[in-house]
Amino acid sequence: MANYLDTFFAAMADPTRRAVIERLTEGRAPVGALHSSHDIALPTFLRHLKVLEASGLVRSEKKGRVRIVHLEAAPIAAAEDWLSRQRRLWEGRLDRMAELAQSLEEFRDEN
Amino acid sequence: MANYLDTFFAAMADPTRRAVIERLTEGRAPVGALHSSHDIALPTFLRHLKVLEASGLVRSEKKGRVRIVHLEAAPIAAAEDWLSRQRRLWEGRLDRMAELAQSLEEFRDEN
C-alpha cells in the first residue's frame, strides 16, 4: 500500500493534475480537449498526464489518431479509505477523551 | 483551496510522514518518541515534521524541554471531501451511462 499511496498523493499535489481529474469526472475526453483548457505547453501537460497514469488514476487508449483519457475511481476510493480511517481513529480518541473529562466532572460534582 | 490541497497531498505522499500520522491517531506524542520508531537521522525527521506542520495536519507545542505533537483532523476531512466529490461525480456518471445502456437494450427488445 505504501508505494501506491506515495504515487497517488504525489499525483494529487498539483493543481493542473487535480483540474484534469475534475474535468474527467464529467466524462472521458481526448488529450487535445483536456490540454486546451490549460495555458501550458503540450509537453508539460503530457508529463502531468503521465504522472496521473502512473498513479493508476487515469487510463488512456488510442482511437485512430486521438488518445482518449478516462478516470479510474478505485485509486481514489483507496486513498479516501486511508484518510477516513486516520480521521475516524483520531476523532474516536477525542470523543473518548471528552467522555472521560465529562465523567471526571460528574464525579467531582457528586463528591 | 488549491494551495491548501497542494501542501496537504504533498505532505501525504511520503511513507514516513504517513506513519507519523498513523502514530498520532493514537494520541499526542513528544518529538523524541515519534522519531524513535524511524530509522532516520533526527534532522531528516524534523524536516518531515515541518512539512506536516506546514500542511496544517499536525500542530506542536513546547512543554518545558519537550515538544509535543498532535494531529488536526480538519485538513484530513477537507481532502477527503475533495476526493469523495470527484469519486461520486464519476460513479454517478457511470451509473447514468449504465441506466442509458439498460434503457437502450429494453427499447431494442421491445422493437
Side-chain angles (χ1 to χ4, degrees):
Chain A
M1 200 64 177
N3 278 333
Y4 159 67
L5 288 174
D6 283 6
T7 52
F8 177 88
F9 285 128
M12 290 297 85
D14 178 276
T16 300
R17 295 196 290 266
R18 288 199 305 278
V20 170
I21 297 302
E22 288 171 347
R23 166 63 188 78
L24 288 175
T25 62
E26 297 165 18
R28 54 185 61 211
V31 169
L34 290 174
H35 173 235
S36 69
S37 51
H38 295 274
D39 194 19
I40 55 177
L42 182 61
T44 310
F45 186 73
L46 293 178
R47 274 199 296 278
H48 283 306
L49 278 187
K50 240 182 192 162
V51 173
L52 288 171
E53 283 208 62
S55 77
L57 257 172
V58 312
R59 294 266 171 268
S60 72
E61 58 243 13
K62 202 126 193 186
K63 297 223 168 141
R65 289 169 60 94
V66 179
R67 182 165 285 279
I68 307 289
V69 185
H70 70 270
L71 205 57
E72 290 286 340
I76 299 189
E80 258 184 276
D81 282 351
W82 186 85
L83 289 173
S84 80
R85 192 162 60 246
Q86 308 315 318
R87 185 181 47 76
R88 280 180 285 114
L89 284 167
W90 177 239
E91 288 175 349
R93 198 184 150 76
L94 292 184
D95 287 348
R96 287 194 302 281
M97 278 172 64
E99 276 167 33
L100 197 67
Q102 178 73 21
S103 307
L104 201 64
E105 214 164 287
E106 283 165 12
F107 178 80
R108 274 192 196 131
D109 290 347
E110 286 161 14
N111 291 276
Chain B
M1 199 64 178
N3 278 333
Y4 159 67
L5 287 173
D6 283 6
T7 52
F8 177 87
F9 285 127
M12 291 297 85
D14 179 275
T16 300
R17 295 196 290 264
R18 287 198 306 279
V20 170
I21 296 303
E22 287 171 348
R23 167 61 190 80
L24 288 175
T25 62
E26 296 165 18
R28 52 186 63 210
V31 170
L34 289 174
H35 174 234
S36 68
S37 52
H38 295 274
D39 194 20
I40 55 176
L42 183 61
T44 310
F45 186 74
L46 293 177
R47 274 199 295 278
H48 283 306
L49 278 187
K50 237 178 195 167
V51 173
L52 287 171
E53 284 209 60
S55 77
L57 258 171
V58 313
R59 294 265 171 268
S60 72
E61 58 243 16
K62 204 126 193 190
K63 295 223 168 141
R65 288 169 61 92
V66 180
R67 182 166 285 278
I68 308 289
V69 185
H70 70 270
L71 206 57
E72 291 285 341
I76 299 190
E80 258 184 277
D81 283 350
W82 186 84
L83 289 174
S84 80
R85 194 163 57 244
Q86 308 315 317
R87 185 180 47 76
R88 279 180 284 115
L89 283 167
W90 177 239
E91 288 175 349
R93 197 184 151 78
L94 292 184
D95 286 349
R96 286 193 303 279
M97 276 171 66
E99 276 167 31
L100 198 66
Q102 178 73 21
S103 305
L104 202 63
E105 215 165 286
E106 283 165 13
F107 178 81
R108 274 193 197 129
D109 290 347
E110 287 162 13
N111 292 274

